[in-house]
Amino acid sequence: MTPLRRGNARDHKRYLWILSTLAPGCALLPGQLVHVTGLALFWWIGPILVFVVIPVLDIVVGCDGVSPRDEDYEALSNDRYYRWCTFLFLPMQFVGLAIAGYMWSGAELGLVDKLGLTVTLGIVSGIGINAAHELGHRVERLERWLAKIALAQSGYGHFFIEHNRGHHVRVATPEDPASARFGEPLWAFIPRSAVGGFRSALTLERERLSRKGKRWFSRDNQLLQAWSMSVVLFGAMVLAFGPVVLPFLVLQAVIGIGLLETVNYLEHYGLLRARRADGRYERCSPRHSWNSDRLVTNIFLLHLQRHSDHHANPGRRYQTLRSSDEAPQLPFGYATMVLLAAVPPLWRAVMDHRLLAHYSGDITLVNRKPRRCPAEPSDESGQLVV
């Protein structure tokens, strides 16, 4: 693919990034597609796109390991085109939510169609958290506020606090609720991560306000800021469409949260930062995140799969993130790995040997559950017995 230029900067994916808006576009399309085609299947366009079309395209299109040049970093970072690709997510996200609320509250849709619409909006909600993730790492005040707004649909406003000030500090350690342990099934991880992240956010914000001499019930409380946006959004939906819309709002939020936590699960599964002589953990390196260079999912998720460089350099915008040979590699893109994670025996069959190979078979180096799993026999040296 011939590199595309903006000034002197090169980005061969420049005009592909606008395709990241396909996710919120799912919220706008179901009704129109069903009307045009007569196929009720399109109420389920969200899961069809994310869990069928994208995994197939990942395989067909393949990987893209090209990293931006160091000399292009400033030009790419300052190019506002890339910011607008993320800004566009928000109006599409909320217009889609309003349309879906209108359709849900009517009498035209049957139960199965309503469920498909809800799952589609839940996937948009979960990917909206990814948009908030990108915006929330920025220092610009506007983008940080937009991150909180993007989180309103999922009601997961505390992610803004916990991810930046909790997860990035404790990643790949037993103290991080968002880092999955070796042998831990997804269905045990999700409640542990969700509850642990919520508690951590409360503690982190309470400590921050205390250092500033602020009270908990203050307009400076970033948790209350984010949660109030969800209250306003959900309240407006109820006023517009009636209480009948509440099950839709709750269920789509739960699906969005579940999708986020599933991505958390696969990003650091079993990876562990070693302790130094002073008892502190080593600095986070590319070895502590699972990566994938599958092009289609990377476009769809704004380079979220280049997670190692993101943790090493959280200030980098998505278009400047680099691939890493040092990082352990997932066999497929995130869209496919989410499906594997949902079936724990299949996940372990695919991932456990890759994790152990990353640590040369030494099970003492992985992030394990407090007690040894029966499926993890090892000798006294810590080497896995096979």
Side-chain angles (χ1 to χ4, degrees):
M1 188 181 294
T2 303
L4 299 172
R5 293 174 179 266
R6 174 72 172 178
N8 293 322
R10 295 180 181 178
D11 178 10
H12 68 288
K13 291 179 283 196
R14 176 179 177 81
Y15 298 116
L16 295 177
W17 293 117
I18 197 67
L19 296 177
S20 63
T21 58
L22 283 174
C26 287
L28 301 173
L29 294 175
Q32 290 83 348
L33 290 174
V34 172
H35 176 73
V36 170
T37 66
L39 298 175
L41 182 68
F42 282 110
W43 294 118
W44 299 81
I45 188 173
I48 291 171
L49 175 65
V50 173
F51 299 126
V52 179
V53 176
I54 288 180
V56 170
L57 288 176
D58 264 340
I59 294 172
V60 172
V61 176
C63 295
D64 168 44
V66 178
S67 296
R69 304 179 307 175
D70 290 342
E71 56 265 36
D72 291 335
Y73 175 77
E74 289 298 331
L76 290 175
S77 296
N78 296 324
D79 188 340
R80 298 192 68 84
Y81 162 78
Y82 296 97
R83 302 185 196 188
W84 280 105
C85 288
T86 55
F87 294 168
L88 282 172
F89 194 104
L90 276 73
M92 297 175 70
Q93 173 185 3
F94 292 114
V95 170
L97 183 66
I99 293 172
Y102 171 76
M103 291 187 292
W104 173 280
S105 62
E108 293 80 7
L109 299 186
L111 179 60
V112 174
D113 295 340
K114 284 187 175 183
L115 181 59
L117 180 63
T118 304
V119 173
T120 291
L121 269 291
I123 288 174
V124 173
S125 179
I127 299 175
I129 301 177
N130 180 56
H133 167 259
E134 172 64 26
L135 293 165
H137 274 290
R138 309 285 72 87
V139 298
E140 289 80 0
R141 184 179 178 86
L142 170 63
E143 291 179 80
R144 292 173 67 82
W145 273 103
L146 289 176
K148 297 172 189 174
I149 294 171
L151 291 167
Q153 182 177 345
S154 62
Y156 223 49
H158 61 278
F159 175 84
F160 179 84
I161 302 295
E162 163 56 19
H163 179 82
N164 290 4
R165 298 184 354 229
H167 175 62
H168 269 263
V169 174
R170 299 177 298 225
V171 62
T173 71
E175 289 76 26
D176 179 32
S179 293
R181 299 160 180 166
F182 179 48
E184 182 178 25
L186 173 67
W187 307 111
F189 168 82
I190 288 178
R192 182 176 71 82
S193 179
V195 173
F198 178 78
R199 290 175 174 170
S200 174
L202 290 176
T203 300
L204 289 168
E205 187 62 3
R206 185 181 297 112
E207 291 174 348
R208 186 188 73 87
L209 291 170
S210 178
R211 289 194 300 269
K212 290 179 170 288
K214 303 285 187 179
R215 300 174 62 182
W216 175 259
F217 289 102
S218 162
R219 65 180 182 180
D220 295 313
N221 186 322
Q222 295 183 339
L223 287 176
L224 298 183
Q225 291 171 3
W227 290 336
S228 66
M229 294 179 186
S230 293
V231 171
V232 170
L233 176 63
F234 283 32
M237 292 285 288
V238 170
L239 285 175
F241 307 118
V244 69
V245 81
L246 276 173
F248 160 72
L249 292 172
V250 172
L251 184 55
Q252 64 83 30
V254 169
I255 292 169
I257 291 166
L259 182 58
L260 163 75
E261 294 295 358
T262 303
V263 171
N264 276 339
Y265 176 80
L266 60 91
E267 285 176 334
H268 305 284
Y269 175 75
L271 300 175
L272 180 67
R273 287 152 56 194
R275 285 192 183 273
R276 304 183 310 195
D278 61 3
R280 295 183 178 183
Y281 289 104
E282 65 178 323
R283 180 183 176 85
C284 187
S285 79
R287 290 177 53 80
H288 301 122
S289 302
W290 290 97
N291 277 18
S292 173
D293 272 324
R294 297 284 177 173
L295 175 61
V296 175
T297 305
N298 259 332
I299 292 295
F300 193 67
L301 295 180
L302 301 172
H303 263 163
L304 182 65
Q305 296 179 136
R306 293 189 171 181
H307 211 59
S308 292
D309 197 27
H310 167 68
H311 270 279
N313 302 280
R316 278 184 171 265
R317 292 182 179 272
Y318 69 90
Q319 67 270 23
T320 66
L321 291 174
R322 300 159 297 186
S323 183
S324 173
D325 293 332
E326 184 184 350
Q329 297 296 314
L330 294 169
F332 306 104
Y334 278 15
T336 305
M337 298 306 297
V338 165
L339 296 176
L340 295 181
V343 186
L346 183 58
W347 170 265
R348 297 201 66 182
V350 171
M351 288 299 297
D352 283 6
H353 69 92
R354 286 181 167 83
L355 173 65
L356 292 166
H358 181 60
Y359 290 109
S360 301
D362 191 345
I363 200 171
T364 66
L365 300 180
V366 307
N367 186 2
R368 290 183 292 169
K369 292 195 289 187
R371 63 180 184 275
R372 182 179 298 164
C373 297
E376 300 171 5
S378 61
D379 60 23
E380 294 182 356
S381 68
Q383 297 295 315
L384 184 69
V385 175
V386 295

